[in-house]
Structures are given as C-alpha cells and as structure tokens.
Amino acid sequence: MPLEAGLLEILACPVCHAPLRDRSADADAPELICTGQDCGLAYPVRDGIPVLLVDEARRPA
C-alpha cells in the first residue's frame, strides 16, 4: 500500500534531510529511500507507517 502523496511530500531523511522516495510498489518489503547522493539510506514502512529511525535503516546495495 503506497503512502499518501501529501505525507511523502513532508517526510525527509533524518540524517541528511533530503526528500524520500517511496519504493513500496517495486520491492518485497515496503521502504522509503533517501534521495541524497551521499546518504541513500532505506527506511522500512511497517503497517503503512514509515519508521524513520537511523538504527532501523539499511544501506541499499
């Protein structure tokens, strides 16, 4: 289930403050990807709720 567009517009990466891209449709597990060039962390979305905790983020390969 993709996130609402209004919510996605106001969310930002807690590390570098870059916008986040929703990768829920094309991934096994829904997540938000940081669009920052040097960051690129992936934050999980659980039950439709973004978990924007750095300890929960992963570095995409």
Side-chain angles (χ1 to χ4, degrees):
M1 171 159 104
L3 294 173
E4 292 182 27
L7 178 61
L8 196 55
E9 286 179 17
I10 62 172
L11 292 178
C13 176
V15 174
C16 70
H17 309 291
L20 297 171
R21 178 176 46 93
D22 188 3
R23 201 179 109 176
S24 297
D26 61 341
D28 294 333
E31 58 187 4
L32 297 176
I33 307 292
C34 175
T35 59
Q37 286 184 337
D38 297 328
C39 186
L41 290 173
Y43 298 93
V45 177
R46 295 187 187 123
D47 297 322
I49 301 169
V51 181
L52 299 179
L53 300 172
V54 177
D55 292 341
E56 296 282 330
R58 70 172 185 84
R59 286 236 180 250

